[in-house]
Amino acid sequence: MLKLLLTALVAALLGAAALASLPAAQTVYVMRHLNTPEGERDPDLTEAGKAGAGALVRWFHGKKLTAIYVSDFKRTRQTAEPLAAERGITVKLYDPRDTPGLIAKVRAEPGPVLVIGHSNTVPDLVEQLGGTRPGPLAHPDFGDIWTVTGGKTDHAKIP
């Protein structure tokens, strides 16, 4: 009986130690770049988009962030610039045509990550990160941000 009890105790302790060594679920924030004029290939943000980039800094206040990924377009870089400057983070470029490559890079980061994408990439990114796939995004859909943590998805709007 004592041997059985000791065996159960050791198994419980080993199980607790294994659980304690598991990494916490990573948080990834995914959003589309902020406001741009319609119909231009690589536009700058509009004044509303620039104001939204400032609001993004405020939205992230108190939230940990270790990396920011953007595609190599002015609108994604300009969306990220105020937040990156405020946090002292150098933005990392990704190829929006290589979602699996981006997901691997994001998963390799040691903490929370922001990915700024496009209307045609955000739904796939959220889904491939384990979140609930958002519906299609149209041109006027700016300011939405999805938070994916441990398979759960929260949706917010940048004010």
Side-chain angles (χ1 to χ4, degrees), residues 10 14-15 17 22 24 28 35 40 51 54 69 71 79 81 91 93 95 106 108 114 124 134 143 146 152 155:
V10 169
L14 288 175
L22 288 176
V28 182
N35 309 57
E40 295 182 34
Y69 283 84
S71 62
T79 297
E81 282 170 358
V91 298
L93 296 179
D95 181 349
V106 166
L114 169 62
D124 285 342
W146 289 267
K152 294 183 181 179
H155 173 251

Side-chain angles (χ1 to χ4, degrees), residues 45-125:
L45 294 181
T46 63
E47 289 305 314
K50 291 174 187 173
L56 186 63
V57 173
R58 291 185 295 280
W59 190 85
F60 269 98
H61 179 75
K63 295 176 178 76
K64 188 175 177 190
L65 192 62
T66 58
I68 301 172
Y69 283 84
V70 300
S71 62
D72 196 16
F73 288 90
K74 289 189 289 188
R75 59 194 177 269
T76 56
R77 290 191 314 267
Q78 290 171 3
T79 297
E81 282 170 358
L83 179 60
E86 192 262 344
R87 296 293 181 98
I89 295 173
T90 301
V91 298
K92 299 178 181 187
L93 296 179
Y94 73 90
D95 181 349
R97 298 166 298 184
D98 183 14
T99 300
L102 172 60
I103 299 297
K105 289 177 185 177
V106 166
R107 289 292 186 216
E109 292 290 346
V113 176
L114 169 62
V115 178
I116 301 174
H118 303 271
S119 60
N120 63 333
T121 63
V122 165
D124 285 342
L125 289 170

